[in-house]
Amino acid sequence: MAGPYAPPDTLKLVATIDDIEFPYITSFSLKHTTNGARTLTCAIQEVEGLELCRLGSIITIEFGRGSLVQGKKFTGIIKIVRPSIGSASITAIDFVSQLANSEYSDYKPQDYVGEDLYFAAASAANYKTIDVSRLTRGSGLMVTANMNLWGWQTRKEFIDKCFGEMIEEQTTTQYTNQTFLPWFYAIHEEKYMEFFQPDHARTNAGYSFTISQLDQNITDEGVVAQIDTTRIFNSVTVVSKDDSTLYYTYNDDHSIQTFGVQSRQIEWDSSRKDVLEEVARGIANRFKTPTKSYTITLSDGEWLGLGDIVEITAAGLSSSETLTVIAYDIVAGESLKTSVTLGERQLSISEYLERLG
């Protein structure tokens, strides 16, 4: 790895531990997933380097290609030290870990009902070294008493429950299909907490990066697609809660022919058959297709962050798709390689029913 004045295609890396220069890293990986902490694992050379790696120390690294490329910066707490003969490794986790390990608090409806979920989560994130000064937008989604937010829990558990409710249905003509846009959280740099709502589904949505064979940024590993049919429901029966003889079954024939029949029966608080039909049809239309995600290994994608919108065109795909970065894994050693996961958060059936109700 090179110093501050590296050639354009050479990795530049600057690291400190407790503000002391740390030139002992020989390779590293940096992983991040939405609503989770970044995890940094570094290989360390020399005994002198290992002696600086104290549990609880603050490690900062900044890296990029050449001296003119803005680097990606990580700051976190050393959680694991693995000494061995001739070499060693450490693992550090960013400050989201402080939320996961916080003391338990009793979260009560009277303290939050009527408040924006965004600001309820922001107040819980305002803890120790986390900086919430950028959390000023709001979501317009309000806390209600019947939300599953309450009881004794850590700050991260409460935040995760808030974000479980922060899913907004889009009904304008800018969306060709029924669309639900979730909010996410992450620390992208240093200690700043960010809340964000990527919008990849809008017609003519803008994107920050194009992935394709034509752009020559997909490595030999190519594109790995995952098609998940475990959440498909293409035959839905909705039964009146008050009268079990009153029901409606809706089958999506195309989905059944393509993926096989996968049925679901639910009760609904209505004695009107037209309402039961509307609910059954809505559930089947929402859940008749698989959840898709793609993992792509790139030669030049290390600057991509969670929530970035990417257009992908690759062999095996019938057309280009615009999706959100929901995870990445950067590995640096003799070369710099990035794997990104693109996809969208699929509502669970219970979340969907709550929004229908």
Side-chain angles (χ1 to χ4, degrees):
M1 295 187 186
Y5 299 102
D9 292 328
T10 304
L11 175 63
K12 178 187 71 173
L13 172 67
V14 178
T16 63
I17 291 183
D18 290 339
D19 296 324
I20 299 171
E21 186 177 356
F22 190 75
Y24 304 104
I25 297 174
T26 59
S27 63
F28 69 87
S29 69
L30 179 62
K31 299 182 180 182
H32 201 187
T33 303
T34 50
N35 299 356
R38 290 170 297 168
T39 301
L40 173 75
T41 301
C42 300
I44 306 299
Q45 65 178 359
E46 302 183 21
V47 174
E48 183 182 353
L50 186 60
E51 289 175 349
L52 293 173
C53 299
R54 179 181 57 81
L55 291 174
S57 293
I58 303 299
I59 182 171
T60 297
I61 71 166
E62 185 170 10
F63 62 92
R65 296 178 191 265
S67 57
L68 300 179
V69 178
Q70 182 179 4
K72 188 181 287 285
K73 191 170 185 178
F74 168 88
T75 303
I77 305 166
I78 296 177
K79 296 288 189 177
I80 301 173
V81 177
R82 301 181 186 89
S84 62
I85 298 174
S87 65
S89 67
I90 61 172
T91 297
I93 305 177
D94 77 16
F95 298 129
V96 170
S97 61
Q98 295 177 328
L99 301 172
N101 297 323
S102 71
E103 68 279 0
Y104 279 73
S105 297
D106 187 9
Y107 291 88
K108 301 176 181 178
Q110 58 265 34
D111 297 328
Y112 293 95
V113 168
E115 185 176 359
D116 193 311
L117 282 159
Y118 182 107
F119 293 117
S123 67
N126 187 14
Y127 184 66
K128 292 188 179 292
T129 53
I130 295 175
D131 191 322
V132 298
S133 61
R134 297 179 179 180
L135 303 181
T136 59
R137 175 180 167 182
S139 68
L141 303 170
M142 301 301 171
V143 177
T144 62
N146 62 354
M147 288 179 175
N148 181 31
L149 303 178
W150 318 118
W152 287 92
Q153 55 204 310
T154 65
R155 289 172 180 260
K156 188 176 189 304
E157 288 171 334
F158 177 72
I159 292 169
D160 285 339
K161 287 183 178 180
C162 287
F163 277 80
E165 300 288 347
M166 289 170 64
I167 305 171
E168 190 173 1
E169 183 177 9
Q170 305 299 316
T171 58
T172 70
T173 56
Q174 296 183 68
Y175 301 87
T176 56
N177 299 311
Q178 187 179 33
T179 300
F180 294 87
L181 293 181
W183 285 82
F184 300 101
Y185 69 87
I187 294 178
H188 288 116
E189 61 173 348
E190 300 184 33
K191 59 184 179 180
Y192 296 100
M193 178 64 78
E194 307 272 5
F195 294 172
F196 50 100
Q197 186 187 40
D199 186 359
H200 68 281
R202 178 169 42 88
T203 304
N204 298 321
Y207 49 86
S208 57
F209 194 61
T210 301
I211 297 174
S212 70
Q213 270 86 12
L214 184 62
D215 291 312
Q216 297 183 340
N217 50 18
I218 300 177
T219 68
D220 292 339
E221 287 85 350
V223 178
V224 178
Q226 176 172 311
I227 312 299
D228 184 355
T229 62
T230 60
R231 287 190 171 188
I232 286 181
F233 301 115
N234 48 29
S235 176
V236 180
T237 299
V238 180
V239 182
S240 171
K241 184 179 293 186
D242 298 324
D243 181 0
S244 62
T245 65
L246 183 62
Y247 65 91
Y248 186 87
T249 298
Y250 179 80
N251 294 320
D252 189 283
D253 294 333
H254 182 265
S255 177
I256 291 172
Q257 290 173 3
T258 305
F259 306 109
V261 63
Q262 299 197 62
S263 59
R264 180 69 183 250
Q265 181 263 316
I266 66 166
E267 289 187 340
W268 196 253
D269 190 12
S270 176
S271 298
R272 291 176 49 184
K273 194 156 187 174
D274 60 327
V275 172
L276 304 181
E277 177 181 355
E278 181 182 357
V279 173
R281 188 182 300 272
I283 294 172
N285 285 335
R286 180 69 181 97
F287 294 95
K288 65 184 180 182
T289 56
T291 302
K292 294 184 293 184
S293 66
Y294 303 101
T295 299
I296 307 103
T297 304
L298 303 171
S299 56
D300 60 351
E302 66 276 357
W303 58 275
L304 284 168
L306 300 185
D308 284 348
I309 297 174
V310 173
E311 183 187 64
I312 176 173
T313 305
L317 304 185
S318 58
S319 61
S320 63
E321 296 190 44
T322 304
L323 295 168
T324 301
V325 177
I326 57 174
Y328 64 75
D329 183 0
I330 301 170
V331 178
E334 294 299 323
S335 62
L336 183 62
K337 191 177 292 185
T338 302
S339 294
V340 296
T341 301
L342 310 176
E344 58 180 322
R345 183 185 184 280
Q346 175 85 318
L347 283 182
S348 69
I349 189 75
S350 60
E351 290 171 330
Y352 181 81
L353 292 176
E354 285 177 6
R355 281 154 182 77
L356 283 182

